[in-house]
Amino acid sequence: MTKILLIKTGAAGDVVRTTTLLRVLKGAITWVIDPRYAHILPDNHPELQRIIPIEQAAHVLKNESFDLTLSLEEDIVCAKLASNVPTGRLIGIHMDGDLIRYTDDVAGWFDMSLVSKLGRAAANKIKAANTHTFQYWLFNMLGLSFQGQPYCIYRNPAIEREEQLIGIETRSGNRWPNKSWAGYQALTGQLTASGYRCLILSQRDHLRDYLDDIARCAYLISGDTLAMHVALAYNIPALAIFNCTSPAEIYDYGLLQKIVSPLLQQSFYGREYTPEVIASVSPREVHDCFRQHIAFRKEGQKA
């Protein structure tokens, strides 16, 4: 059986969207991951043989070799691991002396990244002009064509969706501060007045409890976050507000309604918090878009 080493440690949303590869990779897959996100991955997947925390990977794999290594993390520890574990074919990030490099097969994606060989300015320009989804580039690395293959993550079969329950993820992490949105409180009031119940998602002791919270929802509203990706994985219709990240990179699976800030280009992947950006989309616009999306989906179901 073909042995495959997949190195993708984080972030959580990126792990979710990388799981599309579990639909097409054939062989014994070893996935190296940040242990915080290991519970995103599915249980009892026929190809996913091992899940190894990145801190243990060098030791666990020191006497192993693989037929294929797919190295997707822009990180020196992961790059060293990819370079040091013997493999028949290496695709992705690796070390070249003291520098992080990437193979030609992945240039389409990593030319837009923080480790771009073209430099930061050129990478940002290419990223702003990109019209392809992450999955397009991911499959392209392997010489495959993305055909809408769904995510493949853990799901608790005992959790049932609750009618009229709207999940709302107000948090967005610290890396891209303009992912935040100023209108969640006002929107929650509007939704409640319209007869919906709102679940404000919060930190849970166990990641899978958080995933279960999302699985209960009939609809989800958030920014470009883990919650959005989980909703898509669970076939839950969703609405996401894009203030500073690329809406083009997100495949909608026929479920996602995107609202793009009019200030997107000036805040594109900006690191500085800008109040004007997070307030650039009004609660009324989001509420109206939500209602239209719900009505559209109901009409589609009738047809």
Side-chain angles (χ1 to χ4, degrees):
M1 180 178 288
T2 301
K3 290 184 65 180
I4 302 168
L5 177 61
L6 175 54
I7 304 171
K8 183 59 189 173
T9 57
D14 291 340
V15 169
V16 173
R17 57 186 186 171
T18 302
T19 64
T20 52
L21 290 180
L22 296 178
R23 305 289 184 181
V24 294
L25 289 176
K26 302 301 179 184
I29 301 171
T30 295
W31 191 315
V32 174
I33 196 169
D34 185 320
R36 294 176 296 173
Y37 308 135
H39 290 290
I40 289 172
L41 300 178
D43 296 328
N44 304 315
H45 187 280
E47 260 73 46
L48 186 56
Q49 300 293 304
R50 287 184 299 178
I51 301 169
I52 301 176
I54 180 59
E55 296 85 355
Q56 301 173 18
H59 174 72
V60 172
L61 300 176
K62 64 181 180 180
N63 295 318
E64 292 199 41
S65 62
F66 291 84
D67 300 295
L68 169 66
T69 293
L70 183 57
S71 176
L72 300 176
E73 205 61 58
E74 302 162 35
D75 172 86
I76 192 167
V77 173
C78 294
K80 287 180 177 179
L81 178 68
S83 296
N84 291 336
V85 175
T87 188
R89 182 185 180 192
L90 171 63
I91 299 175
I93 300 287
H94 61 94
M95 296 300 296
D96 180 9
D98 295 330
L99 299 175
I100 293 179
R101 303 292 191 192
Y102 48 89
T103 59
D104 291 341
D105 345 51
V106 302
W109 177 252
F110 287 108
D111 278 353
M112 300 185 287
S113 75
L114 294 174
V115 297
S116 174
K117 63 188 177 186
L118 305 176
R120 183 70 57 84
N124 289 344
K125 186 175 181 179
I126 296 170
K127 196 170 186 68
N130 173 56
T131 59
H132 292 302
T133 65
F134 172 81
Q135 288 95 316
Y136 167 89
W137 291 116
L138 187 64
F139 278 52
N140 183 262
M141 295 174 190
L142 295 164
L144 301 173
S145 175
F146 177 63
Q147 301 293 330
Q149 288 86 349
Y151 297 145
C152 184
I153 70 171
Y154 158 84
R155 183 167 187 175
N156 184 345
I159 302 297
E160 296 184 0
R161 195 172 301 184
E162 299 179 23
E163 189 176 353
Q164 301 292 98
L165 182 64
I166 311 298
I168 299 179
E169 178 55 272
T170 64
R171 300 168 300 162
S172 58
N174 298 321
R175 187 177 187 187
W176 313 113
N178 290 323
K179 276 190 179 184
S180 300
W181 180 54
Y184 286 115
Q185 185 174 356
L187 176 66
T188 300
Q190 293 173 356
L191 293 171
T192 301
S194 299
Y196 293 97
R197 295 180 297 123
C198 294
L199 173 63
I200 306 300
L201 297 167
S202 60
Q203 187 69 33
R204 302 280 264 149
D205 291 338
H206 197 289
L207 177 56
R208 288 191 170 179
D209 292 332
Y210 177 76
L211 302 183
D212 289 348
D213 287 341
I214 296 173
R216 293 170 48 204
C217 299
Y219 198 94
L220 184 118
I221 299 174
S222 70
D224 178 7
T225 65
L226 169 63
M228 175 194 71
H229 289 293
V230 174
L232 298 180
Y234 290 169
N235 202 35
I236 297 169
L239 184 154
I241 302 156
F242 290 81
N243 284 334
C244 66
T245 55
S246 172
E249 287 179 11
I250 306 302
Y251 186 74
D252 64 20
Y253 288 103
L255 294 165
L256 180 66
Q257 185 69 36
K258 303 174 187 178
I259 295 183
V260 180
S261 166
L263 303 181
L264 175 69
Q265 291 306 315
Q266 74 180 57
S267 60
F268 199 63
Y269 290 93
R271 300 278 189 165
E272 183 177 344
Y273 176 77
T274 308
E276 293 80 8
V277 171
I278 69 162
S280 60
V281 174
S282 72
R284 178 179 291 277
E285 180 181 353
V286 176
H287 187 249
D288 289 348
C289 186
F290 161 76
R291 292 178 62 185
Q292 292 166 11
H293 195 205
I294 289 291
F296 173 79
R297 292 189 62 79
K298 285 181 178 179
E299 286 300 316
Q301 290 168 0
K302 289 178 184 178

